[in-house]
Amino acid sequence: MAAMAFRRGSATAVAIASAVLLAGCTGAPNADGPLQVPDPHGMTTAAADVGQVFTDGFEMLVVEGDEPITIRDVSLVGADPQLELVDAVVAAEERTLNFAYDPAFPPAEMDLGPLSAAEGMVLYPRSQQRIGTDGFTDYELLLGIRITEPGVWKRTGVRILYEVGDREYAWDSPAELIACTKDHSEDGVSCPSKIE
């Protein structure tokens, strides 16, 4: 940091020094936490109606290390404003399958075991999890997403803010999603795989 010269008693100097000190004490959450970041991935959904809430189940949450984490917030990254995150829930090891997409939220026809609100949920590291009846471990994040206007819309990722003890972390998954309304689909069913 560059040295600063101040006159004694200068209110401006005190305000600047305070701002610099506060800026040094705050900042973005650490990205190097125990929640494993996946490789870049993406999907194109089936066409939906305006207002329909579908499930994006493409994110697996894997906690490494030996301390549990607590989810504080889930958000969409790089999303067109026409994609609205309605809710985020988590399926644990009681589920009998993993899946990427369902046209309803929450998915009604899938045996996912109990679903818990993502915000406030404690996730345990692999070393402390029990293995489910069907051999599942880790967690599946299920995002309820609504399309609010006709068109083809995109998201570039998913962000989770979480805590381990008194430390804050950010998990940014490079998870591209393309969703569309039926009137903007290629065949009334499928959304285009790219947005020009």
Side-chain angles (χ1 to χ4, degrees):
M1 181 185 305
M4 294 184 215
F6 301 114
R7 289 185 325 178
R8 180 177 281 200
S10 167
T12 303
V14 170
I16 291 171
S18 297
V20 169
L21 287 173
L22 286 174
C25 294
T26 61
N30 189 340
D32 297 326
L35 191 55
Q36 193 177 81
V37 177
D39 291 331
H41 56 283
M43 74 172 174
T44 301
T45 70
D49 294 317
V50 171
Q52 177 181 340
V53 182
F54 63 87
T55 301
D56 169 4
F58 213 24
E59 302 305 308
M60 296 304 299
L61 304 178
V62 180
V63 181
E64 300 292 351
D66 57 4
E67 292 183 83
I69 72 166
T70 303
I71 297 175
R72 293 296 173 216
D73 184 62
V74 179
S75 59
L76 304 180
V77 175
D80 291 320
Q82 296 81 2
L83 291 179
E84 175 188 3
L85 179 61
V86 174
D87 199 4
V89 297
V90 175
E93 67 275 353
E94 293 89 358
R95 67 190 185 281
T96 61
L97 55 89
N98 293 328
F99 72 100
Y101 172 82
D102 191 78
F105 181 84
E109 302 299 319
M110 299 187 187
D111 188 8
L112 298 170
L115 301 177
S116 301
E119 290 182 23
M121 185 168 180
V122 175
L123 307 183
Y124 293 91
R126 280 184 166 174
S127 62
Q128 297 175 20
Q129 293 176 23
R130 68 177 183 81
I131 297 175
T133 308
D134 289 302
F136 286 97
T137 59
D138 303 318
Y139 303 88
E140 184 173 9
L141 179 66
L142 308 175
L143 303 174
I145 299 174
R146 175 185 293 131
I147 299 176
T148 61
E149 294 179 26
V152 181
W153 312 113
K154 182 178 178 179
R155 172 200 75 202
T156 60
V158 176
R159 170 173 266 210
I160 294 178
L161 299 178
Y162 66 99
E163 297 173 352
V164 179
D166 60 355
R167 299 176 310 277
E168 294 182 355
Y169 295 93
W171 177 84
D172 288 311
S173 176
E176 183 177 280
L177 175 99
I178 295 175
C180 71
T181 51
K182 291 178 181 171
D183 56 337
H184 284 77
S185 65
E186 295 177 342
D187 54 7
V189 177
S190 303
C191 294
S193 58
K194 294 206 178 286
I195 297 178
E196 301 299 328

